Amino acid sequence: MPVFSSKALYAVSHLISRRMGSEEAEAHEVADHLMRANLAGHDSHGVGMLPAYVRLFVEGLLVVNQTPETVLDFGALLVLDARRGYGQRMAANAVRRAIERARETGACVLALRNSSHIGRIGTYAELAAAQGMAFTAFVNVADHHDIQAPYACADARLGTNPFCTAVPGTDGGVAMMLDMATTTIAAGKARVAYNKGVPAPDGALIDADGNPTTDPAGLIRDHTGALVSFGKHKGSGLAIMAEIMATAIAGGQRADAEQKGGILNSMLAVVIDTARLGGVETVAREAAATRAHIKSARVAPGFAEILLPGDPERRYTAERLRAGIEVDETTCSDIRPAAA
Ligand code: NAD
């Protein structure tokens, strides 16, 4: 498989975004985000998204250099409509505004509506953590055919509706971060499996009749079947609440609204200034104590070790900075025409 440095992945994303018409700051934000997603091991949200972004742009479903509309700016409440703006920039700038507000008021409830795909949600938790803020977000996906089958459904009825929550560490990073799709695997991971010609993990997919399958072709090539919610009724319930928080509360587009074939994310995020709650040192110490307590357990049979949320991403980043990032042939050959 071809191996690239993170700098090379940044360069191709930056160039494509610039040619799409993004101004320098936006091209940088998008390229940096995609490169970091690949570094963190989330190839589903890295440079493999570029062909989709070019398609969305060509179809008028992703708007470069967009200015979000401020719908409400009232105390701790900040409501922005991104109007299909380039998601990585819309979300990063919205979270930066929320961080500033949280510094004044102690916390900010941010509603970001109708942004084009905002990518890896952990990126925004990391932005908040770098400023000593805790971060929690519920996100939905609309304008796209449904791909998540909630518990007991034989049909897809939601997007992959991610949930993310993180607390800051003393090193400017996160002390602990959970960042996940509410499906067993993110949709992009089914795409990566399809592109590599390997089966999806057991228990992640159903076919057109609602039966379990490991073949990602139905979902990715034929748009049939679905990804299933993780954790039975509990993960499914979290996905449903993410839909409701991002729509009924944040005002974003619902999954059942008319679909134009775009990828619209809406996010309800809460940013909390830990300086008002004992400070980053206290938060990091408490998180470290919880980590140590959990790691003191015996390792269960069949497992090599105990990992905590955020550990795999940290390891991937260290390893990929050292050895480079593999990008499969299909993804490379999809990026070439998009770049052209
Ligand atoms: P994942 O399953 O790889 O990881 C989910 C979480 O579990 C992470 O916090 C990770 O640190 C933790 N984890 C993984 N393995 C672990 C282990 N062995 N022990 C303990 N903890 C472990 O992630 P995913 O669900 O495939 O999501 C990938 C990315 O997709 C996320 O960054 C998410 O924000 C993003 N996403 C975005 C959208 C969107 O529409 N923008 C939709 C869905 C997902």
Side-chain angles (χ1 to χ4, degrees):
M1 231 188 278
V3 177
F4 298 92
S5 69
S6 54
K7 274 187 187 166
L9 297 190
Y10 175 95
V12 72
S13 309
H14 183 267
L15 181 62
I16 290 175
S17 297
R18 287 290 277 163
R19 293 295 166 88
M20 284 163 67
S22 285
E23 56 196 35
E24 174 55 32
E26 182 166 280
H28 169 71
E29 195 90 59
V30 171
D32 192 63
H33 182 117
L34 298 179
M35 174 193 80
R36 286 176 193 278
N38 279 118
L39 278 174
H42 294 299
D43 296 335
S44 51
H45 289 72
V47 295
M49 287 305 296
L50 286 166
Y53 294 165
V54 172
R55 176 187 67 79
L56 294 172
F57 169 68
V58 168
E59 292 176 5
L61 300 173
L62 179 162
V63 180
V64 298
N65 305 324
Q66 181 63 292
T67 306
E69 179 194 349
T70 301
V71 179
L72 177 73
D73 185 345
F74 177 74
L77 287 176
L78 185 58
V79 181
L80 306 173
D81 191 328
R83 304 185 295 165
R84 293 187 185 271
Y86 215 153
Q88 283 80 359
R89 190 187 199 195
M90 294 293 106
N93 282 346
V95 170
R96 289 185 184 108
R97 279 179 71 177
I99 291 168
E100 274 174 36
R101 181 57 49 89
R103 233 190 272 294
E104 292 163 21
T105 56
C108 178
V109 177
L110 167 69
L112 176 69
R113 298 177 180 171
N114 307 328
S115 174
S116 195
H117 189 239
I118 65 176
R120 176 180 168 250
I121 313 304
T123 305
Y124 313 110
E126 286 165 357
L127 267 182
Q131 302 299 320
M133 308 274 162
F135 178 92
T136 297
F138 299 91
V139 179
N140 89 321
V141 194
D143 205 36
H144 187 280
H145 64 275
D146 294 330
I147 52 174
Q148 172 167 192
Y151 190 54
C153 295
D155 294 307
R157 282 294 178 265
L158 292 173
T160 50
N161 291 8
F163 172 77
C164 178
T165 189
V167 295
T170 47
D171 58 356
V174 293
M176 194 85 74
M177 173 162 75
L178 177 69
D179 173 28
M180 61 180 202
T182 49
T183 41
T184 306
I185 56 169
K189 289 188 174 149
R191 185 193 73 233
V192 172
Y194 176 73
N195 286 351
K196 288 183 176 169
V198 299
D202 281 335
L205 295 173
I206 54 172
D207 65 17
D209 298 319
N211 296 311
T213 179
T214 55
D215 182 358
L219 185 81
I220 301 301
R221 189 190 57 209
D222 310 331
H223 296 173
T224 59
L227 294 157
V228 298
S229 307
F230 83 95
K232 299 184 179 176
H233 56 289
K234 300 183 186 183
S236 172
L238 185 59
I240 293 166
M241 291 313 297
E243 176 73 14
I244 289 172
M245 289 297 178
T247 59
I249 300 296
Q253 183 167 311
R254 289 200 319 268
D256 65 339
E258 188 203 345
Q259 292 160 359
K260 294 184 174 163
I263 311 174
L264 278 186
N265 280 144
S266 297
M267 169 166 78
L268 182 81
V270 180
V271 176
I272 303 169
D273 186 1
T274 62
R276 313 261 182 173
L277 297 168
V280 175
E281 288 74 15
T282 308
V283 172
R285 193 177 57 240
E286 292 293 318
T290 298
R291 167 183 289 276
H293 182 55
I294 291 167
K295 295 267 266 184
S296 72
R298 290 172 299 151
V299 177
F303 290 86
E305 61 177 327
I306 298 166
L307 293 175
L308 276 86
D311 289 350
E313 286 83 353
R314 253 191 292 275
R315 285 192 183 174
Y316 265 113
T317 302
E319 174 58 17
R320 289 183 161 196
L321 279 171
R322 191 188 62 75
I325 300 158
E326 287 185 348
V327 181
D328 65 83
E329 292 284 3
T330 311
T331 301
C332 290
S333 60
D334 286 349
I335 291 174
R336 275 185 213 107

